[in-house]
Amino acid sequence: MASVRLEHVFKRFGNVDAVSDVNLDIADQEFLVLLGPSGCGKTTTLRMVAGLEELSDGSIFIGDREVSQVAPKDRDIAMVFQNYALYPHMTVYENMAFGLKLRKVPRPEIERRVKEAADILGLGALLTRKPKELSGGQRQRVALGRAIVREPKAFLMDEPLSNLDAKLRTQTRVELKRLHQRLGATILYVTHDQTEAMTMGTRIVVMRDGVVQQVDTPDGIYNHPANQFVATFVGTPAMNLLPGELTQKGGALMFHTFGQDVTLPESMRARLSQAAGRKVTLGIRPEDVHLSSDFVSNHPDLQMKATVRVVEPMGHENMVYLAIGEETVTARASNDWHADLGDVVTCAFDGARLHAFDRETEAALV
Ligand SMILES: Nc1ncnc2c1ncn2[C@@H]1O[C@H](COP(=O)(O)OP(=O)(O)O)[C@@H](O)[C@H]1O
Ligand SMILES: [Mg+2]
């Protein structure tokens, strides 16, 4: 396996900037996930690494070798697509062996590699079947097998799970993660699904409109988002946002929104005292908005009055939609928390879990 490096990579289609100045260092054996909404440039980035798309500018390295001008077949990487397109008239064995035959790999070597891949993927009993005799999940595994037998320097995967139903997707996600560990593979994986990114990635690259927003571990992306876009793209339900102002009151730094104030904790005051007077957006995740009377009474500085809009019982918890001024704030409450619609309740924020973003640039204030 090998590292993959992108340096100042650009791709323009006419006047569309599909990818703008992307710099990435994918370490050997890393599982790096490119995450972002549809159209943000994920596939284009992957296709440039594969050599299927020319760069408008910049360079790409696989290991120490610059490959920007190298033909796709000579880059020694394997790509797995969403549409795995197996050859319908070939058996599972033949589908996996085909690429190696084309490369004139000796037959015993082909047999060894196909058998090994089939073992890893649990396809051993299916080698004589045709694709139409397989389930969707099995077909996807054959597509992975086809990539594995190549013993490539790196795997490129473009939304490989999105054609599977929800249950199978979860199962295959776990398998892929195991496969990564077992093969010690370098994987560049594209998805618009934040759960896939959070569960599989050693690091996540969040993209928007062709521009990298943040490169970080799942923990870093979730707990220290660099801007409002990253903050709201990752996490379900999404992070709550409240527009307001930072104000100084005595020695304290307050956040003022819709006629109410909360006192920000000392750690935020130390960081943000320069920002007093600024218009900001406060961010707080639903699990950090508390409704239990214990938490609320213990945190008088961080209380807010809110009107109950909807209570959604989820079984293990209740999702509570609250109105604060014109904004809806979602709170995850325990399943024994009840209130009537229209009730005015007091919630309290977890001060250690607050985020503040500049109202103009939407960048996190740190
Ligand atoms: N061959 C092409 N010709 C013109 N525009 C393209 C082409 N391929 C992609 N694009 C545009 O580039 C942008 C990024 O596309 P893509 O990389 O497919 O996004 P993603 O995979 O994140 O959904 C989109 O605006 C898309 O319409
Ligand atoms: Mg795509």
Side-chain angles (χ1 to χ4, degrees):
M1 290 290 156
S3 59
V4 178
R5 197 163 84 246
L6 283 73
E7 285 183 0
H8 300 294
V9 168
F10 287 79
K11 181 68 191 183
R12 294 176 205 94
F13 293 108
N15 54 13
V16 176
D17 290 322
V19 173
S20 297
D21 199 15
V22 167
N23 295 282
L24 288 177
D25 225 327
I26 306 152
D28 187 23
Q29 310 202 355
E30 185 168 25
F31 196 135
L32 189 84
V33 178
L34 279 184
L35 173 70
S38 175
C40 74
K42 305 180 296 296
T43 295
T44 305
T45 303
L46 212 62
R47 286 172 57 83
M48 287 191 285
V49 176
L52 302 173
E53 204 76 71
E54 250 182 70
L55 281 65
S56 301
D57 206 349
S59 25
I60 295 180
F61 297 80
I62 297 175
D64 293 331
R65 174 177 178 223
E66 174 162 12
V67 296
S68 313
Q69 305 301 324
V70 174
K73 67 176 176 47
D74 298 324
R75 291 193 184 192
D76 206 5
I77 46 186
M79 193 144 168
V80 182
F81 300 93
Q82 173 180 350
N83 302 310
Y84 21 89
L86 302 175
Y87 300 108
H89 58 287
M90 291 185 194
T91 64
V92 167
Y93 181 94
E94 289 162 348
N95 263 287
M96 290 209 272
F98 187 66
L100 299 179
K101 269 192 196 158
L102 284 185
R103 285 180 171 73
K104 307 248 187 306
V105 175
R107 194 148 152 200
E109 176 67 11
I110 294 181
E111 275 173 19
R112 183 190 69 78
R113 291 200 202 174
V114 171
K115 187 174 172 309
E116 200 176 295
D119 278 350
I120 292 173
L121 295 165
L123 291 170
L126 307 176
L127 287 173
T128 56
R129 290 209 196 161
K130 299 270 175 67
K132 67 172 188 299
E133 301 164 315
L134 302 175
S135 70
Q138 289 167 337
R139 276 181 226 158
Q140 185 52 276
R141 272 189 275 157
V142 177
L144 281 171
R146 218 168 31 178
I148 290 171
V149 297
R150 300 250 325 262
E151 299 183 346
K153 287 218 165 70
F155 291 93
L156 308 179
M157 302 190 184
D158 194 355
E159 316 230 6
L161 307 187
S162 43
N163 280 350
L164 306 178
D165 64 45
K167 191 169 165 221
L168 201 54
R169 204 154 52 216
T170 309
Q171 202 178 318
T172 315
R173 209 168 69 201
V174 175
E175 276 176 22
L176 261 182
K177 199 169 161 163
R178 280 210 346 251
L179 190 67
H180 169 244
Q181 285 159 0
R182 172 140 185 208
L183 295 176
T186 307
I187 300 180
L188 180 52
Y189 185 101
V190 158
T191 183
H192 65 274
D193 182 323
Q194 45 124 355
T195 310
E196 282 179 25
M198 291 294 287
T199 52
M200 293 195 291
T202 44
R203 284 189 305 158
I204 299 173
V205 180
V206 182
M207 282 182 81
R208 177 193 198 181
D209 297 338
V211 179
V212 171
Q213 305 291 301
Q214 187 169 359
V215 184
D216 213 327
T217 59
D219 178 72
I221 295 281
Y222 193 79
N223 293 310
H224 307 285
N227 59 39
Q228 221 168 286
F229 178 80
V230 175
T232 50
F233 193 76
V234 174
T236 36
M239 184 186 285
N240 298 297
L241 299 173
L242 284 168
E245 271 159 59
L246 294 177
T247 58
Q248 199 98 42
K249 204 180 203 173
L253 185 67
M254 319 284 287
F255 173 72
H256 181 84
T257 185
F258 298 111
Q260 303 191 64
D261 291 286
V262 289
T263 308
L264 298 177
E266 174 55 28
S267 58
M268 277 184 108
R269 191 182 68 82
R271 281 189 291 132
L272 300 179
S273 56
Q274 300 300 319
R278 246 160 91 180
K279 286 188 192 312
V280 300
T281 303
L282 198 76
I284 179 105
R285 294 200 183 274
E287 63 267 32
D288 302 319
V289 179
H290 292 264
L291 285 160
S292 81
S293 47
D294 267 2
F295 189 99
V296 171
S297 53
N298 283 328
H299 296 84
D301 288 350
L302 289 152
Q303 293 177 357
M304 284 241 151
K305 292 239 177 298
T307 309
V308 176
R309 277 194 172 148
V310 181
V311 180
E312 269 182 356
M314 311 288 285
H316 64 297
E317 65 183 4
N318 284 348
M319 206 63 81
V320 184
Y321 300 89
L322 302 162
I324 295 180
E326 291 156 24
E327 296 297 324
T328 298
V329 169
T330 313
R332 299 171 74 157
S334 68
N335 57 8
D336 59 1
W337 189 90
H338 297 290
D340 289 323
L341 306 193
D343 279 359
V344 175
V345 297
T346 305
C347 63
F349 298 158
D350 183 341
R353 311 274 309 154
L354 289 167
H355 303 263
F357 304 100
D358 184 282
R359 192 92 74 81
E360 298 300 319
T361 65
E362 302 192 349
L365 297 173
V366 287

